[in-house]
C-alpha cells in the first residue's frame, strides 16, 4: 500500500480532494465541509454524528439508529472527538 | 515547528504501522502479536506501547490505514466523470492491491474492536457513493437502465466481500480478484444493462 495519502478530515476521516471537500473551500482546512462550517470550525458533536449517520443511511440503507451508533463509534476514535459522548439515540 | 524528536517519533510510529500491516497481510489480525511487530521493526517490545496505548489501539490504526488507503486510492484512480465500467475497474484494482488485508479484515471483523466494523461500513459507504454517481452518469448517457443506486452498490459490495471472504475456496493460492474480478464486473453490469429492442 502506498504511504502517500490525500488529506483526510480530522473529524470523520473522509478523503479531501476537491476544493468543495474542504470546509469553506479552503485547502488548508483540517476538516471537511460536512463536519465543519464555512469558517473551518467543527460543528457540535451531535450534529456531526447525525450527518455521518445520514451518510451511512443514504449510501447503504443502514437502519438510522444503527447508523447513529456506527457514526458515534467511528468519530470517537478520531483525535478531534476523543472522549465526546453523543446524546443522540 | 516540528522538531527532530517529533519527526523521529512520527517515523517510528509509521514503521510500527507498516510492520503491523505487513504481518496482518501475511497472517491475519489474530495471529499478529505486538512482540512480532516489535521484532520486525527492531525495537524493544515496550516501544510499541509508547506509540499505541494498547494492542486494540494499534489494531484500530491498522484498520484505519486499510480504509484510508482504499478511499484515497479510489479518489485518485476514479473520477467523477467515470461511468460504471471504469469505476468497477478502479475499485477492483484497489482491492487487488491490498487483497489479503481486506480479506483478513472481513474474516476477523467480529473479533476486532467495534470501531473496526464502523470503519468497514464507512469504507463501503464511500464505495457506494462513487458507484451511485457512476451509475447516474451511465443512465444519463443512455448506457444503463434506471436502477436503485443503494441496491446496486449493496449487490456489488456483497459480491466482492463474498469472494474476498472465501478467497481460499474461489482462488486457492492466487488472487481472487485477478481470477474472478472481470466476471463479477460483467455480472453487475448485466443487472443494469439496457434491453435491446427486438425487431
Amino acid at each position: 500500500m502506498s504511504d502517500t495519502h490525500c488529506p483526510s478530515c480530522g473529524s470523520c476521516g473522509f478523503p479531501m480532494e476537491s476544493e468543495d471537500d474542504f470546509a469553506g473551500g479552503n485547502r488548508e482546512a483540517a476538516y471537511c465541509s460536512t463536519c465543519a462550517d464555512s469558517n473551518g470550525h467543527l460543528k457540535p458533536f451531535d450534529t456531526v454524528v447525525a450527518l455521518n449517520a445520514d451518510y451511512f443511511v443514504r449510501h447503504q440503507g443502514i437502519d438510522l439508529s444503527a447508523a447513529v451508533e456506527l457514526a458515534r463509534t467511528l468519530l470517537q476514535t478520531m483525535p478531534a472527538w476523543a472522549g465526546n459522548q453523543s446524546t443522540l439515540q | 515547528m516540528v522538531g527532530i524528536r517529533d519527526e523521529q517519533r512520527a517515523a517510528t510510529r509509521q514503521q510500527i504501522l507498516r510492520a503491523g500491516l505487513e504481518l496482518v497481510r501475511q497472517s491475519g489480525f489474530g495471529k499478529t502479536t505486538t512482540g512480532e511487530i516489535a521484532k520486525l521493526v527492531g525495537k524493544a517490545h515496550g516501544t510499541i506501547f509508547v506509540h499505541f496505548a494498547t494492542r486494540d489501539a494499534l489494531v484500530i490504526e491498522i484498520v484505519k490505514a486499510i480504509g484510508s488507503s482504499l478511499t484515497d486510492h479510489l479518489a485518485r484512480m476514479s473520477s467523477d466523470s467515470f461511468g460504471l465500467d471504469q469505476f468497477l475497474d478502479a475499485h477492483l484494482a484497489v482491492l487487488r492491491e491490498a487483497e489479503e488485508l481486506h480479506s483478513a479484515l472481513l474474516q476477523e471483523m467480529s473479533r476486532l474492536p467495534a470501531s473496526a466494523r464502523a470503519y468497514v461500513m464507512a469504507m463501503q459507504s464511500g464505495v457506494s457513493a462513487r458507484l451511485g454517481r457512476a451509475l447516474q452518469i451511465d443512465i444519463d448517457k443512455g448506457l444503463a437502465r434506471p436502477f436503485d443506486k443503494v441496491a446496486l452498490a449493496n449487490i456489488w459490495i456483497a459480491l466482492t466481500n463474498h469472494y474476498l471472504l472465501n478467497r481460499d475456496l474461489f482462488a486457492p493460492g492466487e488472487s481472487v480478484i485477478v481470477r474472478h474480478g472481470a466476471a463479477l464486473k460483467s455480472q453487475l453490469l448485466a443487472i443494469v444493462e439496457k434491453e435491446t429492442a427486438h425487431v
Side-chain angles (χ1 to χ4, degrees):
Chain A
M1 295 202 308
S2 164
D3 282 339
T4 54
H5 295 293
C6 55
S8 59
C9 172
S11 161
C12 70
F14 184 83
M16 300 185 289
E17 269 233 305
S18 72
E19 214 162 79
D20 291 348
D21 293 337
F22 293 82
N26 173 12
R27 287 191 172 274
E28 300 298 311
Y31 305 114
C32 72
S33 52
T34 299
C35 295
D37 62 23
S38 56
N39 294 317
H41 299 128
L42 273 176
K43 294 172 185 171
F45 185 61
D46 277 355
T47 304
V48 178
V49 168
L51 289 166
N52 278 269
D54 178 62
Y55 190 71
F56 284 128
V57 172
R58 275 189 294 119
H59 294 298
Q60 285 188 93
I62 292 173
D63 173 80
L64 178 59
S65 60
V68 166
E69 194 49 45
L70 278 178
R72 181 169 26 218
T73 303
L74 181 79
L75 294 171
Q76 281 171 341
T77 68
M78 302 299 291
W81 299 113
N84 271 269
Q85 298 295 319
S86 166
T87 54
L88 279 180
Q89 296 299 310
Chain B
M1 214 170 83
V2 179
I4 292 172
R5 280 177 69 91
D6 288 337
E7 281 179 10
Q8 283 172 342
R9 190 180 165 85
T12 303
R13 192 176 192 278
Q14 273 306 110
Q15 270 185 313
I16 294 169
L17 258 182
R18 269 200 296 269
L21 281 162
E22 178 53 26
L23 290 173
V24 169
R25 189 187 69 75
Q26 290 174 18
S27 319
F29 286 91
K31 290 180 180 165
T32 295
T33 67
T34 49
E36 284 174 323
I37 293 173
K39 197 175 166 187
L40 190 59
V41 294
K43 303 279 184 192
H45 190 201
T47 304
I48 304 292
F49 301 101
V50 171
H51 297 271
F52 302 92
T54 61
R55 183 182 182 278
D56 273 1
L58 173 55
V59 165
I60 289 303
E61 292 305 314
I62 291 172
V63 173
K64 276 188 193 178
I66 298 170
S68 65
S69 178
L70 179 133
T71 50
D72 188 63
H73 275 61
L74 214 48
R76 285 169 192 271
M77 290 178 65
S78 65
S79 141
D80 282 347
S81 63
F82 273 15
L84 265 182
D85 186 79
Q86 292 163 299
F87 168 77
L88 297 177
D89 277 343
H91 186 217
L92 288 168
V94 172
L95 289 178
R96 169 67 194 101
E97 192 178 332
E99 185 175 321
E100 299 89 349
L101 288 168
H102 287 286
S103 180
L105 185 52
L106 291 169
Q107 282 179 13
E108 300 179 59
M109 195 157 62
S110 65
R111 297 188 294 276
L112 298 180
S115 48
R117 189 179 189 196
Y119 277 99
V120 170
M121 298 312 284
M123 207 169 14
Q124 292 180 175
S125 286
V127 169
S128 175
R130 285 183 174 273
L131 188 146
R133 281 202 292 271
L135 173 61
Q136 191 58 54
I137 285 171
D138 281 358
I139 293 170
D140 292 345
K141 286 181 178 172
L143 299 171
R145 67 186 176 92
F147 199 89
D148 185 304
K149 293 182 186 66
V150 173
L152 192 72
N154 281 344
I155 291 169
W156 177 244
I157 289 164
L159 257 181
T160 50
N161 282 1
H162 179 56
Y163 278 74
L164 285 168
L165 265 167
N166 299 292
R167 59 194 289 273
D168 59 324
L169 302 178
F170 287 114
E174 58 182 300
S175 162
V176 75
I177 299 297
V178 169
R179 184 156 165 186
H180 295 285
L184 298 183
K185 180 182 141 186
S186 297
Q187 287 158 15
L188 195 86
L189 291 175
I191 294 172
V192 290
E193 192 176 24
K194 284 192 119 177
E195 285 179 29
T196 49
H198 296 285
V199 180

